Amino acid sequence: MSCTVSMTVNGKTVSREVEERTLLVTFLREHLGLTGTHVGCDTSQCGACVVHVDGRSVKSCTALAVQADGAEVTTIEGLAAADGTLHPMQAAFREHHGLQCGFCTPGMVMSAVDLVRENPNPTEAEIREGLEGNICRCTGYHNIVKAVKAGAEAMSAAQPAAVAAE
């Protein structure tokens, strides 16, 4: 059975006819062509598929597209500014070598952004705990934790400027 799903993805309103059992990750990748959200396990174990739904981290491999009907969804493609300027967390991952193969990076960055929104100044232990649902098979996490800490600092520094501009 199919239904129409409508949501705002990365600031753009989209509407598609999908089967009711279509996963959010499939909707994003196959129906919208947003392939930055990765499928690593299909069992909610690795976190490569993390996106934000109404500002909260969601593993899109275990959420149905119909569950996001009417929601605001942000993928890794939607974090950067329209002019291509990286989000502070993306820039921190690049600067601090918080990636190797890059497969886990989109989900890791999305989870880190949500973590820092909830806790603007996380400790190393809080970062490690906050990223427990994300698996990296390459890095050993040391540089990821450094990147998240630097990203948190950059996000805090950027926040007053954003508020002053409003």
Side-chain angles (χ1 to χ4, degrees):
M1 197 160 165
S2 66
C3 62
T4 301
V5 175
S6 300
M7 62 187 78
T8 302
V9 179
N10 299 333
K12 298 177 184 160
T13 302
V14 297
S15 211
R16 299 288 189 282
E17 189 79 17
V18 297
E19 290 186 35
E20 290 178 343
R21 62 190 174 108
T22 301
L23 294 173
L24 181 56
V25 70
T26 304
F27 180 78
L28 295 169
R29 291 180 59 81
E30 296 179 13
H31 294 266
L32 302 182
L34 297 170
T35 57
T37 303
H38 294 158
V39 179
C41 66
D42 278 331
T43 59
S44 190
Q45 300 295 312
C46 75
C49 67
V50 172
V51 298
H52 294 168
V53 177
D54 292 331
R56 303 293 308 200
S57 290
V58 171
K59 290 185 177 179
S60 63
C61 75
T62 58
L64 297 172
V66 296
Q67 290 175 293
D69 190 44
E72 185 171 320
V73 178
T74 305
T75 69
I76 192 71
E77 293 94 341
L79 274 188
D83 68 359
T85 303
L86 294 179
H87 182 279
M89 190 62 71
Q90 290 172 306
F93 266 71
R94 182 181 66 190
E95 183 179 332
H96 294 276
H97 310 288
L99 58 102
Q100 280 185 10
C101 81
F103 193 81
C104 71
T105 306
M108 199 72 75
V109 168
M110 298 303 286
S111 292
V113 168
D114 191 35
L115 167 69
V116 172
R117 281 187 188 144
E118 293 292 318
N119 180 358
N121 188 25
T123 64
E124 180 178 328
E126 290 168 332
I127 292 168
R128 289 182 181 278
E129 182 181 335
L131 297 178
E132 279 182 348
N134 296 76
I135 296 174
C136 176
R137 293 174 175 90
C138 302
T139 68
Y141 300 96
H142 180 71
N143 286 347
I144 291 171
V145 172
K146 283 183 8 185
V148 174
K149 188 69 173 161
E153 291 168 5
M155 285 172 67
S156 291
Q159 190 171 16
V163 171
E166 290 178 356

